[in-house]
């Protein structure tokens, strides 16, 4: 069994813990929260072995194989770095870090700890529906572009409208739409088409100064990918990938729960795979086989691909922000 500790007690961590239980390959060894009552309540609910209010103590005392980070974006780097230095592998919620400087520092530290793995929890590219889409894209005679959409109204935007500054909508915590929902379609584009040659971002800023929604253009030389995402409204339009007369359609570039392939005559073939009991189950299953057998040839190849995607996505996110003159305090460090 893989001994895991968690950082964060919000809904995403709860969903992760439930996926871990379904996989039957992990044991929840430790829970961290800044507040003792919150840590103890989350630990009791999920039958964790221990709870902590000091992150360093958890890393020192809990005998962890891996730690899961679901803290505010701006904290990911220091928490991941500390775990790596303790020879503990890391599963970090997207985005892994705030900028390229932080990613470069993590890569340098990983080189000193060859048994440690850094894994970004971009769940959509681990799903069976992604693998079905990936095969369909590879079968297209040519690709002429794509439009990828993921837009969901955030309850925290109500707080912004009320004059507050929730973490997910502040630059101080490396927040905003691009760093949240935008990561999923960017991941999809990078995983399917590689790293773009040029990018541009056109954000709509909210009262906190962070981006609430935006449109990103990823240029691949002979085709473009338009990415539409946001946290201040809802979108119901399907995303599409364009061949010649063929078109691939997906219900959501983030959730990726339905996939269709349209032939030249307009008839649609349903490529959708069976429903998942938990949307995070495929990624924690993938991560488990890697952590349990990192030297297996397929597992090692998959890890190299996942790590490459993480580095490329981080570069794209940073380049998009630079194109929009959108900087974080983390960039100054």
């Amino acid at each position: 069994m893989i001994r895991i500790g968690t950082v964060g007690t919000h809904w995403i961590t709860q969903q992760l813990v439930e996926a871990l239980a379904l996989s039957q390959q992990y044991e929840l060894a430790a829970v961290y929260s800044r507040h003792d009552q919150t840590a103890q309540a989350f630990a009791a609910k999920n039958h964790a072995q221990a709870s902590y209010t000091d992150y360093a103590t958890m890393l020192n005392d809990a005998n962890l194989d891996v730690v899961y980070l679901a803290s505010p974006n701006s904290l990911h780097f220091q928490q991941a770095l500390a775990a790596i230095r303790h020879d503990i592998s890391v599963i970090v919620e997207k985005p892994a870090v705030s900028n390229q400087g932080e990613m470069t520092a993590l890569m340098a530290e990983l080189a000193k700890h060859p048994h440690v793995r850094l894994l970004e929890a971009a769940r959509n590219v681990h799903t069976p529906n992604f693998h079905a889409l990936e095969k369909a894209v590879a079968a297209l005679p040519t690709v002429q572009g794509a439009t990828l959409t993921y837009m969901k109204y955030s309850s925290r935007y109500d707080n912004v409208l009320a004059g507050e500054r929730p973490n997910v909508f502040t630059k101080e915590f490396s927040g905003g739409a691009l760093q949240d929902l935008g990561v999923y379609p960017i991941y999809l584009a990078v995983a399917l088409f590689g790293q773009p040659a040029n990018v541009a971002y056109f954000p709509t800023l909210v009262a906190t100064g962070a981006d609430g929604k935006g449109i990103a253009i990823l240029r691949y030389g002979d085709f473009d990918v338009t990415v539409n995402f946001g946290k201040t409204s809802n979108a119901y339009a399907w995303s599409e990938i364009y061949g010649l007369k063929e078109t691939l359609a997906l219900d959501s570039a983030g959730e990726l729960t339905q996939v269709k392939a349209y032939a030249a005559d307009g008839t649609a073939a349903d490529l959708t795979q069976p429903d998942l009991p938990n949307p995070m189950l495929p990624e924690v299953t993938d991560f488990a086989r890697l952590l349990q057998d990192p030297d297996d040839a397929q597992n090692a190849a998959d890890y190299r691909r996942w790590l490459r995607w993480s580095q490329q996505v981080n570069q794209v996110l940073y380049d998009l922000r630079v194109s929009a003159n959108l900087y974080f305090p983390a960039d100054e460090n």
Side-chain angles (χ1 to χ4, degrees):
M1 297 289 279
I2 300 166
R3 291 179 57 82
I4 187 169
T6 60
V7 174
T9 56
H10 296 296
W11 70 268
I12 190 67
T13 312
Q14 183 61 44
Q15 189 174 70
L16 181 279
V17 168
E18 291 169 4
L20 298 178
L22 287 171
S23 78
Q24 299 182 343
Q25 298 174 89
Y26 299 81
E27 57 181 330
L28 185 56
V31 167
Y32 164 82
S33 175
R34 292 175 300 163
H35 307 291
D36 186 57
Q37 185 176 1
T38 305
Q40 288 191 29
F42 192 88
K45 177 180 178 180
N46 295 288
H47 310 290
Q49 296 173 8
S51 63
Y52 296 86
T53 55
D54 185 83
Y55 181 62
T57 301
M58 182 177 78
L59 296 181
N60 283 323
D61 296 352
N63 190 29
L64 300 177
D65 298 307
V66 61
V67 64
Y68 168 74
L69 304 178
S71 47
N73 298 340
S74 60
L75 304 182
H76 289 178
F77 169 64
Q78 289 294 345
Q79 290 174 341
L81 187 65
I84 294 169
R85 286 174 173 170
H86 281 78
D87 277 316
I88 297 170
S89 292
V90 178
I91 299 172
V92 57
E93 267 303 328
K94 52 77 197 164
V97 289
S98 297
N99 53 51
Q100 274 295 286
E102 292 180 349
M103 180 61 77
T104 299
L106 287 188
M107 293 303 105
E109 196 64 34
L110 281 173
K112 303 175 186 177
H113 301 268
H115 300 296
V116 172
R117 300 294 180 263
L118 176 66
L119 300 159
E120 189 170 12
R123 63 180 182 270
N124 59 339
V125 295
H126 290 273
T127 62
N129 280 335
F130 169 75
H131 297 309
L133 178 65
E134 188 177 34
K135 290 179 182 178
V137 169
L140 292 174
T142 189
V143 174
Q144 296 196 85
T147 301
L148 305 177
T149 298
Y150 191 35
M151 188 177 298
K152 294 174 65 177
Y153 190 89
S154 169
S155 62
R156 296 303 178 94
Y157 188 52
D158 291 335
N159 299 98
V160 174
L161 294 176
E164 301 172 16
R165 295 178 61 84
N167 294 348
V168 295
F169 278 105
T170 62
K171 292 189 287 186
E172 291 83 355
F173 285 94
S174 302
L178 175 62
Q179 299 290 112
D180 188 356
L181 299 189
V183 177
Y184 291 109
I186 298 298
Y187 239 101
L188 202 61
V190 167
L192 292 173
F193 310 122
Q195 188 167 359
N198 297 288
V199 302
Y201 183 37
F202 305 93
T204 300
L205 303 184
V206 298
T208 61
D211 53 326
K213 62 187 293 292
I215 296 174
I217 308 297
L218 313 182
R219 311 217 73 176
Y220 283 90
D222 53 352
F223 66 88
D224 294 338
V225 174
T226 301
V227 188
N228 182 30
F229 51 87
K231 295 166 62 66
T232 62
S233 186
N234 292 311
Y236 301 96
W238 281 54
S239 297
E240 293 183 325
I241 298 170
Y242 310 110
L244 289 173
K245 297 179 180 180
E246 313 87 358
T247 299
L248 303 176
L250 44 149
D251 64 331
S252 166
E255 305 299 333
L256 200 60
T257 53
Q258 295 183 68
V259 183
K260 296 181 180 180
Y262 287 88
D265 62 0
T267 57
D270 191 354
L271 306 183
T272 305
Q273 302 301 297
D275 288 342
L276 296 168
N278 182 305
M280 301 180 81
L281 181 59
E283 65 180 338
V284 301
T285 302
D286 277 348
F287 297 160
R289 64 177 170 84
L290 169 67
L291 294 170
Q292 290 172 329
D293 192 3
D295 296 325
D296 174 81
Q298 185 60 59
N299 293 344
D302 285 342
Y303 176 61
R304 289 192 296 270
R305 183 169 72 149
W306 299 335
L307 190 59
R308 182 177 71 250
W309 287 349
S310 185
Q311 293 173 280
Q312 291 175 336
V313 168
N314 184 260
Q315 181 71 64
V316 171
L317 294 175
Y318 182 71
D319 291 344
L320 285 169
R321 287 199 293 112
V322 169
S323 78
N325 199 32
L326 187 61
Y327 294 98
F328 296 146
D331 300 332
E332 300 173 5
N333 299 324

